[in-house]
Amino acid sequence: MIDGAMGSDVGVKYAANFDVAHLAEQPLLAVVADGMGDSEGSALAGRTAVDTFVEEVHGSVGPGQLRAAVALAQDRVIDIGRTRDVGLAGCTLTALADGGDKGWWITHIGDSRAYRLRGDLLELLTNDHTNAWTAITHGIYAFDSPHAERGRYQLTRYVGHQKRPEPDVLNVNPAPGDVFLLCSDGISDQIPFLTLREILSLEADAETKVRRLLEAADDAGGGDNATAAVVAVH
């Protein structure tokens, strides 16, 4: 049994929300996308990527179907950028899908994130596909350096990239008590790690946890669109 909820908040920086999310519980499919920038292309990319992924992913799925769904989303978003004068057409995409007897699958491209709380351990399950993540991981520069600050916004993989990079696909085995969070960087960049763990640890339903996450993003300044999908396992 699962309890799922999602929500999104525009914040104060942008006049519109360029995040897109989808959640279905039976079978489980949660998706979060974050458009790059604030152009029409950003909005179209996020909507197209999520709609394509949901259209292609249904029932109990495997890694081949997930990669194929992202590949089709790549084609459609690239086509938007190539044929329409809408500004940069690109977005992130992070999804959690039912894999039947294989557990659950996470599909990830960009810098939106997937976390899992198990007991008192909150783990980041995905890697950010950014210049900063790569350079910090390999010790090229420090995480709090000016280079890292700039590199956080330089995506190495995203939907709409002309080279059609593949997503990361990883398998997880859900256990009773687990809480999964998919979120845009309006959540992960604005809410401290310990606060994320505190909210996800609440004795509350998924809807309450989503609401508290969005409130925390607003309290932190609301400097970006903020989107969260929470899936709790019972």
Side-chain angles (χ1 to χ4, degrees), residues 94-97 104-108 114 125-126 168-172 180:
T94 302
L96 183 64
W104 291 354
W105 294 98
I106 294 172
T107 309
H108 170 69
L125 301 178
T126 52
D168 293 337
V169 178
L170 59 150
N171 185 253
V172 292
F180 290 83

Side-chain angles (χ1 to χ4, degrees), residues 175-214:
D178 285 354
V179 180
F180 290 83
L181 167 66
L182 307 184
C183 64
S184 64
D185 60 357
I187 294 289
S188 57
D189 279 0
Q190 295 189 105
I191 303 176
F193 181 84
L194 294 180
T195 304
L196 283 179
R197 187 178 69 179
E198 178 184 344
I199 292 172
L200 295 175
S201 298
L202 292 172
E203 293 291 335
D205 60 16
E207 184 175 354
T208 299
K209 293 176 182 180
V210 168
R211 185 175 67 252
R212 290 288 298 274
L213 288 167
L214 297 180

Side-chain angles (χ1 to χ4, degrees), residues 28-122:
L28 173 63
L29 179 59
V31 190
V32 169
D34 181 358
M36 297 168 62
D38 59 355
S39 68
E40 182 183 359
S42 170
L44 287 170
R47 183 77 269 165
T48 300
V50 171
D51 287 350
T52 300
F53 195 83
V54 172
E55 170 189 313
E56 295 297 310
V57 175
H58 37 78
S60 297
V61 298
Q65 186 178 354
L66 297 167
R67 291 192 177 96
V70 172
L72 181 57
Q74 289 280 21
D75 290 342
R76 290 178 174 175
V77 173
I78 289 169
D79 188 61
I80 290 171
R82 181 179 295 153
T83 62
R84 301 173 63 174
D85 184 16
V86 292
L88 176 62
C91 68
T92 70
L93 188 144
T94 302
L96 183 64
D98 185 359
D101 60 4
K102 300 298 184 182
W104 291 354
W105 294 98
I106 294 172
T107 309
H108 170 69
I109 184 167
D111 66 348
S112 297
R113 291 181 170 184
Y115 293 86
R116 180 183 62 194
L117 177 71
R118 176 170 286 178
D120 61 358
L121 176 63
L122 178 62

